[in-house]
Amino acid sequence: MKQPISSVLAVAAMATAFPIQAQQQGATSMLVLDGSGSMWGQIDGTAKITIAREAIDTMLGDWPMDTPIGLMAYGHRQEGECGDIETLIEPGPLDRSAFREAMEGVTPRGKTPIGHSVEQAAEALSHGDQAASVIVVTDGLENCGADLCELGARLEASGMAFTAHVIGFDIADDEGQLACLAESTGGRYLAAGDAAELAGALRTVSEPEPEPAGPLFVDEFERSDLGDDWTLDHPEPSGFIMDDGKLVTMTVQPGAMGDAEDLPNLFRWTGAEFPEDDWDLSADFTARMGEVKSLGGRRAIIQVGRYADVDNHISAHVVRQGNSNDDMWLRLRAVSGGNATVSDVEIAGDLRGYDLAQILSDFEQKGARLTLSKRGRDYVGRLEMNGWSMQEDGPDVIETDPLQVLRTKGDPTIFAGTLGSEQTIAEFSRVEIREVK
């Protein structure tokens, strides 16, 4: 998601209390109020235009003083005129009484030019490298001929750091135009229901966006030895070194995390601990996982997880099966009391249109981030490629389906292994634990 410096809030009829991107402190904003004829429609006996005015005024009561804001409206002056878009208040320090007066002067009459409004907002607030976002909240579909999918694609390809979020009220978006505008610019399409949801959404977007929380624990291996923060199960010194800010580990016998009591060189991060609630454990790595072979390749494995013992652990894997198809998988495996549960997603295969040789090269040269993610009782394995993807135009982030686990225990742990006779070499450059609020 792009981080906006300036924002356009297009408020048509209703919004939602679902999480959406918050207003960045100090950013310039433009509130665009829908004045199309459908705003005379009622919700629980109250006209939608009245609900929108009241919700906006409530939001402005908590508006940050250092955040300039302006007001636009469309469809409020002429019937059937798609160009009826007007800036009512130029962006500047908030004058709440001026906003009230201007909104009272918006009398619903006309059409719903969503595309023209978004484009005009983008042109007005996106200059040079300045970023912008638009939040469109509409009680109707585009009816002025704009192709919202094409517009979103064009805005995304323009080089502007521009994001459109679209919120629809009581709308059957059968052709997906509203969703397409949002998703093609990296935004979200959300549905809305009533006045309370509108007030909640406006309150959400008016709050300053919090600074991203840093990791609770991080290790970048900038030293000559493993150090006291790490415990090595069954150490085999010939199988690892610290080299130029990396932990370089090489398998010395076949196996994977949890396969055997005496598995050598299982790296436990005992100097770090998991928070009580939600978290991400991530490891940045490069790995030599072999070459393409006609009868299957190296059975290599990279793991990050929470490890107590062979009967109690959970880990995310990148696994090269090394079978006749020479396929690769992202795997999430949970073991509790010796009972295993697995969630798999195939990420590459020699016979499925993937350039396996290039993928292996990218793992070795560009690297990736492997994450075990906890959200409540759900655990997910995630692989983030470092500027590359498995296929042309493919995703650069892949996740497993979640596994539900009631409780886990153990230390943050990393491991590089093999399921066959050939070695796997991995270089871990960073490991972190991040608390997720």
Side-chain angles (χ1 to χ4, degrees):
M1 181 70 66
K2 297 185 274 297
Q3 300 298 319
I5 297 174
S6 59
S7 297
V8 182
L9 309 181
V11 179
M14 294 290 147
T16 174
F18 297 160
I20 53 182
Q21 186 171 354
Q23 169 65 24
Q24 194 174 56
Q25 191 167 7
T28 301
S29 301
M30 183 75 82
L31 187 70
V32 181
L33 176 60
D34 183 354
S36 65
S38 58
M39 287 291 283
W40 283 127
Q42 294 189 354
I43 303 296
D44 297 329
T46 303
K48 291 187 279 187
I49 185 64
T50 301
I51 295 172
R53 290 172 185 146
E54 292 175 353
I56 293 168
D57 185 59
T58 299
M59 176 199 73
L60 294 177
D62 296 321
W63 189 260
M65 296 303 296
D66 61 349
T67 303
I69 184 171
L71 177 66
M72 294 175 64
Y74 64 77
H76 59 297
R77 296 176 295 183
Q78 300 175 359
E79 295 183 10
E81 178 53 61
C82 288
D84 185 10
I85 303 168
E86 182 183 15
T87 299
L88 301 175
I89 298 176
E90 294 289 344
L94 173 62
D95 184 336
R96 193 173 177 186
S97 63
F99 260 77
R100 289 172 179 159
E101 182 178 352
M103 287 191 295
E104 286 297 328
V106 174
T107 302
R109 286 191 176 90
K111 303 191 69 131
T112 308
I114 296 171
H116 293 310
S117 298
V118 170
E119 191 163 22
Q120 184 168 311
E123 291 172 355
L125 294 178
S126 293
H127 299 288
D129 295 330
Q130 185 178 13
S133 68
V134 57
I135 300 175
V136 179
V137 190
T138 176
D139 77 331
L141 298 174
E142 166 69 41
N143 61 9
C144 284
D147 183 333
L148 300 187
C149 285
E150 185 278 332
L151 172 61
R154 178 157 43 87
L155 289 170
E156 185 67 12
S158 70
M160 296 186 296
F162 185 85
T163 303
H165 304 287
V166 182
I167 303 170
F169 169 68
D170 195 27
I171 299 172
D173 187 26
D174 294 334
E175 296 183 0
Q177 281 277 310
L178 300 178
C180 190
L181 171 61
E183 293 167 4
S184 61
T185 60
R188 298 175 61 187
Y189 173 71
L190 304 168
D194 56 27
E197 290 178 353
L198 174 60
L202 291 173
R203 183 172 59 251
T204 299
V205 299
S206 67
E207 294 172 350
E209 185 177 353
E211 291 293 326
L216 293 177
F217 300 93
V218 62
D219 194 339
E220 295 183 329
F221 302 109
E222 295 287 351
R223 54 190 182 275
S224 59
D225 56 37
L226 190 58
D228 295 336
D229 285 343
W230 290 84
T231 299
L232 194 58
D233 285 11
H234 310 288
E236 174 48 67
S238 65
F240 76 96
I241 59 172
M242 304 293 289
D243 182 41
D244 193 25
K246 297 180 179 66
L247 167 60
V248 184
T249 177
M250 177 179 65
T251 53
V252 294
Q253 72 179 47
M257 185 186 299
D259 276 0
E261 293 277 4
D262 59 351
L263 186 70
N265 291 351
L266 196 70
F267 295 88
R268 296 181 187 242
W269 195 9
T270 49
E273 59 185 36
F274 292 103
E276 289 293 327
D277 296 318
D278 295 342
W279 45 260
D280 288 339
L281 168 65
S282 301
D284 296 339
F285 71 95
T286 58
R288 301 179 197 174
M289 305 176 74
E291 300 176 352
V292 178
K293 296 183 178 180
S294 59
L295 297 178
R298 182 179 304 179
R299 303 184 69 192
I301 182 169
I302 308 296
Q303 292 177 279
V304 56
R306 185 172 196 176
Y307 186 86
D309 52 50
V310 293
D311 291 328
N312 299 279
H313 57 272
I314 183 169
S315 61
H317 312 28
V318 175
V319 184
R320 183 180 178 193
Q321 299 279 63
N323 53 22
S324 58
N325 291 337
D326 208 2
D327 47 5
M328 300 182 69
W329 296 74
L330 175 62
R331 175 169 297 157
L332 177 65
R333 185 170 185 261
V335 178
S336 180
N339 298 312
T341 308
V342 175
S343 177
D344 276 340
V345 56
E346 186 174 10
I347 58 177
D350 189 39
L351 301 181
R352 292 169 176 80
Y354 296 89
D355 186 345
L356 187 59
Q358 184 62 54
I359 291 170
L360 293 171
S361 174
D362 286 338
F363 269 122
E364 182 175 351
Q365 301 298 325
K366 299 179 181 179
R369 167 171 284 203
L370 183 61
T371 297
L372 175 65
S373 180
K374 176 186 180 293
R375 300 292 185 271
R377 295 173 182 171
D378 287 343
Y379 291 77
V380 168
R382 181 165 60 251
L383 179 67
E384 301 170 69
M385 278 71 80
N386 187 19
W388 57 282
S389 61
M390 297 289 178
Q391 288 182 298
E392 185 177 357
D393 299 323
D396 56 8
V397 179
I398 300 173
E399 290 189 349
T400 67
D401 289 334
L403 290 179
Q404 282 202 339
V405 184
L406 296 184
R407 60 175 62 91
T408 59
K409 59 182 179 180
D411 303 311
T413 304
I414 56 176
F415 183 73
T418 179
L419 303 180
S421 59
E422 296 182 271
Q423 295 171 320
T424 299
I425 301 176
E427 298 183 353
F428 293 99
S429 58
R430 178 186 175 93
V431 183
E432 69 175 38
I433 297 175
R434 188 177 297 270
E435 186 173 17
V436 178
K437 298 293 187 178

